[in-house]
Amino acid sequence: MPELPEVETVRRGLESLLPGRRVESVKVTGRRTVRRQSPAELRARLTGRRFGPPDRRGKFLALGLDDGQVLVIHLRMSGQLLAVRGPGRVPVAPHTHVRARLDDGAELRFVDPRTFGEWYVTDDVRPDGLPSDFDRLGPDPLADGVSAAVLAARLAGKRTPLKSALTDQRVIAGIGNLYADEICHVARLRPDRRTDSLTAREVKVLAAATSSVIAEAVRLRGSSLRDARYVDLMGEYGSYQHEHRVYDRAGEPCPRCGAAVEKIRFGARVAYCCPSCQL
DNA sequence: AGCATCACCTGGCTGC
DNA sequence: TGCAGCCAGGTGATGC
């Protein structure tokens, strides 16, 4: 499931591919990928436009166009954005819902079995070139950084389990199920700790853990898992899955203290953590 | 207001 | 082995 590191890896791929390219044609075949506007409207807004440099906040890609509009793409659970050279020779994968042909002959393809992913084009844009929709997002650990002071302010007054706060995109943008568990482990905090029980020192450690886990995962180009097999633009796997400390490792020894990693439940969600060294 | 829960969807896994 | 049913998971809507 793509989170910040995976989406950032895709963005970096787009950076060397999109700027200056013009959209020749757009084919929308899936029913749900384009739902905020009609497929015809999306096609009309995109066709003939040139891309600028691709941006990202949290898990949202923001692909700026030469007329000031922005193409927003969210991969959600199972979305893959693929760049295909010589599209005539490459068979279209099952669950391909959008294909955008570029003026250099390449094609952007959006493959998404679970159909949660979304594309839309908006002209409601802030001075920084990002969609106004992004106003509700918290700071992005990579683009904005997450200091202890900022995190403390964002958590103030919240009484939710820590993991719920970390995955709340209004608190911090870009963290999902996987990286929340990893961050909690590095910070030695249980995912089900109530946020209002955290000390100032713990929030400081949490902020540092957030930055370091995200930075390392970006460096290793994200995590590719068994089921929602994340791949980058060129179809390559990430390698951060080899560094996972607790995520999906129930029963295996905690890499810090050796105790067996547990799968715990709170509410409708699960979390992986070490019962011994996470407090 | 803020928190919890649900709906959305389908491939893959579990268990009988 | 086959198959029914469960589960995952981000976000926005709905309920409390």
Side-chain angles (χ1 to χ4, degrees):
Chain A
M1 54 278 5
E3 303 179 25
L4 189 159
E6 292 77 29
V7 180
E8 173 63 13
T9 302
V10 171
R11 190 201 66 78
R12 291 181 181 186
L14 291 171
E15 206 161 41
S16 59
L17 198 110
L18 277 194
R21 294 279 61 78
R22 199 164 58 85
V23 180
E24 299 267 280
S25 62
V26 182
K27 242 182 229 161
V28 180
T29 46
R31 255 201 223 144
R32 273 174 42 85
T33 303
V34 180
R35 50 186 182 267
R36 195 167 301 214
Q37 57 206 168
S38 69
E41 183 183 343
L42 179 112
R43 271 202 308 277
R45 285 173 175 265
L46 274 183
T47 306
R49 300 272 60 86
R50 268 183 208 286
F51 284 105
D55 207 342
R56 177 200 57 77
R57 282 299 181 279
K59 305 168 195 168
F60 292 84
L61 286 168
L63 311 183
L65 303 169
D66 58 358
D67 61 351
Q69 299 187 101
V70 178
L71 167 61
V72 178
I73 300 179
H74 198 300
L75 307 177
R76 294 282 189 108
M77 313 293 301
S78 60
Q80 296 180 347
L81 197 58
L82 301 172
V84 180
R85 300 249 173 234
R89 300 192 307 272
V90 181
V92 178
H95 308 294
T96 299
H97 304 312
V98 185
R99 297 158 68 186
R101 183 68 75 98
L102 306 179
D103 62 352
D104 61 354
E107 191 168 83
L108 277 184
R109 293 182 181 172
F110 188 68
V111 181
D112 185 16
R114 294 184 201 177
T115 73
F116 285 95
E118 185 174 12
W119 283 41
Y120 66 92
V121 179
T122 181
D123 55 11
D124 186 356
V125 171
R126 315 188 298 208
D128 65 0
L130 294 170
S132 304
D133 294 346
F134 289 14
D135 283 350
R136 62 196 152 76
L137 296 176
D140 181 287
L142 210 59
D144 309 308
V146 179
S147 68
V150 164
L151 187 56
R154 293 266 161 185
L155 293 176
K158 291 190 80 70
R159 303 152 174 276
T160 50
L162 174 55
K163 179 168 180 177
S164 305
L166 284 177
T167 56
D168 182 341
Q169 304 302 296
R170 296 166 301 180
V171 175
I172 303 176
I175 297 172
N177 194 42
L178 191 165
Y179 292 104
D181 284 358
E182 295 299 307
I183 288 166
C184 286
H185 183 263
V186 169
R188 298 175 180 255
L189 296 168
R190 287 181 62 93
D192 56 354
R193 263 288 286 281
R194 272 178 53 144
T195 45
D196 55 353
S197 76
L198 297 175
T199 66
R201 159 140 201 88
E202 286 173 330
V203 171
K204 190 175 171 185
V205 171
L206 184 63
T210 300
S211 301
S212 66
V213 168
I214 293 298
E216 183 66 0
V218 167
R219 192 178 73 78
L220 294 177
R221 306 177 60 81
S223 303
S224 296
L225 304 168
R226 279 166 313 188
D227 60 340
R229 286 181 225 90
Y230 156 79
V231 292
D232 68 15
L233 262 192
M234 301 304 167
E236 304 283 332
Y237 295 120
S239 51
Y240 191 71
Q241 64 275 14
H242 306 303
E243 311 299 322
H244 291 175
R245 299 155 179 84
V246 288
Y247 179 78
D248 202 21
R249 294 199 186 280
E252 297 179 36
C254 165
R256 187 165 47 216
C257 76
V261 169
E262 280 184 0
K263 182 179 189 176
I264 63 172
R265 290 177 184 277
F266 50 94
R269 295 302 188 214
V270 303
Y272 297 90
C273 66
C274 174
S276 168
C277 65
Q278 288 177 259
L279 303 174

